[in-house]
Amino acid sequence: MTALTGASLAAARRAVGLSQEALAHAAGISATTISRAERGITVPRPSQMAAIEDAIAAEAFAAGTQTVLERHADGTPALTLTECGSLRYLSDESEAIQLDADESVEEAAEAWRKAIE
């Protein structure tokens, strides 16, 4: 999974079309914290980073394109790929992971399958 720090945080924020202020509002933290993190001046606390990542993921899921990779026997999605700009996520009904830029969807899906077996 990609760790969002400095330039990668700024790139992820831009990929989903959020301003620093909008991301800060969605994550429940200050825009100054976002700005300082993007410039590499500070590293947000783990709880702040989780809120930032959740806000970016929520926007990616709302604005992105979803592709169902696998379905349950009843036809409901079992594994979905969401793409929004340069961000890619694999998700099921309860969890989502961000893929690294060089990580293949096929390899990530196979690892996902093994993890839930």
Side-chain angles (χ1 to χ4, degrees):
M1 179 181 341
T2 301
L4 296 178
T5 58
S8 68
L9 173 57
R13 175 183 58 76
R14 288 185 195 106
V16 297
L18 291 174
S19 66
Q20 288 180 343
E21 293 78 13
L23 175 56
H25 178 74
I29 60 177
S30 73
T32 301
T33 299
I34 300 293
S35 175
R36 292 173 60 86
E38 288 183 0
R39 291 181 287 144
I41 295 171
T42 60
V43 176
R45 293 189 305 269
S47 61
Q48 292 174 318
M49 201 65 238
I52 291 167
E53 290 173 347
D54 287 350
I56 289 172
E59 189 63 27
F61 279 87
T65 302
Q66 284 83 33
T67 304
V68 176
L69 301 176
E70 296 178 10
R71 293 189 178 274
H72 293 291
D74 66 1
T76 59
L79 187 60
T80 303
L81 171 67
T82 300
E83 298 176 282
C84 183
S86 61
L87 301 179
R88 299 177 307 146
Y89 294 87
L90 276 182
S91 61
D92 64 9
E93 298 88 356
S94 62
E95 187 176 359
I97 60 166
Q98 183 180 355
L99 303 182
D100 291 328
D102 61 347
E103 189 173 10
S104 82
V105 173
E106 294 79 17
E107 290 173 357
E110 184 59 31
W112 186 289
R113 285 184 211 98
K114 287 180 181 175
I116 61 172
E117 287 179 349

